[in-house]
Amino acid sequence: DIQMTQSPSSLSASVGDRVTITCRASQDLSNSLAWYQQKPGKAPKLLLYATSRLESGVPSRFSGSGSGTDYTLTISSLQPEDFTTYYCQQYYSIPWTFGQGTKVEIK
Amino acid sequence: EVQLVESGGGLVQPGGSLRLSCATSGFSFSNYWMHWVRQAPGKGLEWVSRINNDEYYTNYADSVEGRFTISRDNAKNILYLQMNSLRAEDTAVYYCARARPSGYDYWGQGTLVTVSS
């Protein structure tokens, strides 16, 4: 199984800040990496796929980059609705595995 | 509008069984692979199982292999998860999700399974 190591596990930031979340895979994913946002009590929501492709309807302040084993989610200017939890996921091989999650909290 | 609605969760004793359902609408169900993903209380997301669009191909997480069975009824647009020999560590919210080759684009709202005596 491919292990996904996401960091940090939590971070504190303010509205308007730029934040970056990192995901490292135990093997090359060939860009088969997605990011999800999950709000409390709700199902995850797809934000980006194929490392950097924005899902329809997702604000452009979300962006992704990376290659090989290292990937990044960046929120360019945090909005109040962005304070929640984010997960990376690899779909390169079964089982599709997730990072442990990053909780973005208000400073 | 694409909709996925899970049902069938509840409280069950260790060793017991439950069958989860995921009723879908708003898309051509038979064209998509479908997955189950679970989330233990306060924890992260864990892939459970998947089934291809014509039911001939299934995969399971090691943690549920031999105990859970995924199936689908393409005539009724419903996905199932039969869970047997349930353990405390199976306690979680179970989500069904529509799979693209590039991740999950639609999820259900989840159904809570609690395994406890």
Side-chain angles (χ1 to χ4, degrees):
Chain A
D1 298 3
I2 296 176
Q3 308 303 316
M4 303 298 293
T5 303
Q6 191 174 334
S7 61
S9 57
S10 66
L11 64 90
S12 296
S14 302
V15 172
D17 283 354
R18 178 184 182 93
V19 300
T20 299
I21 299 169
T22 297
C23 207
R24 173 164 288 176
S26 58
Q27 65 182 74
D28 190 333
L29 300 181
S30 296
N31 292 111
S32 300
L33 192 284
W35 291 96
Y36 298 85
Q37 178 191 67
Q38 187 179 30
K39 297 189 175 182
K42 300 294 186 182
K45 171 188 173 184
L46 180 63
L47 297 177
L48 297 116
Y49 61 96
T51 299
S52 60
R53 293 178 179 255
L54 207 61
E55 179 70 357
S56 177
V58 174
S60 59
R61 63 181 179 271
F62 293 93
S63 64
S65 64
S67 63
T69 61
D70 295 322
Y71 298 87
T72 298
L73 170 69
T74 299
I75 310 173
S76 60
S77 178
L78 270 174
Q79 298 302 300
E81 61 268 30
D82 301 336
F83 290 93
T84 190
T85 303
Y86 296 85
Y87 293 92
C88 62
Q89 180 212 23
Q90 66 81 19
Y91 51 86
Y92 181 77
S93 67
I94 284 290
W96 288 5
T97 44
F98 295 87
Q100 305 95 314
T102 295
K103 186 173 183 179
V104 178
E105 299 175 304
I106 299 175
K107 183 182 288 183
Chain B
E1 180 190 8
V2 172
Q3 289 194 318
L4 294 80
V5 180
E6 301 95 337
S7 60
L11 175 64
V12 61
Q13 293 189 338
S17 298
L18 277 179
R19 187 175 83 155
L20 306 183
S21 299
C22 171
T24 73
S25 61
F27 67 101
S28 296
F29 180 68
S30 60
N31 288 347
Y32 287 86
W33 290 63
M34 296 295 295
H35 294 220
W36 288 98
V37 176
R38 69 184 181 183
Q39 187 170 35
K43 302 298 184 181
L45 299 162
E46 180 188 17
W47 175 80
V48 173
S49 181
R50 72 170 181 174
I51 186 168
N52 77 325
N53 53 324
D54 61 6
E55 285 192 85
Y56 282 100
Y57 191 69
T58 59
N59 295 99
Y60 298 92
D62 289 345
S63 56
V64 307
E65 179 83 54
R67 300 187 299 121
F68 290 11
T69 302
I70 191 171
S71 62
R72 63 192 295 162
D73 185 332
N74 284 346
K76 295 182 178 179
N77 299 329
I78 301 176
L79 175 72
Y80 300 101
L81 186 68
Q82 177 67 44
M83 305 186 297
N84 299 331
S85 303
L86 282 161
R87 307 167 180 166
E89 54 266 34
D90 297 317
T91 294
V93 173
Y94 285 73
Y95 296 100
C96 60
R98 189 178 86 167
R100 303 188 315 211
S102 54
Y104 303 119
D105 57 355
Y106 287 94
W107 299 65
Q109 84 287 353
T111 187
L112 176 63
V113 172
T114 303
V115 184
S116 174
S117 55

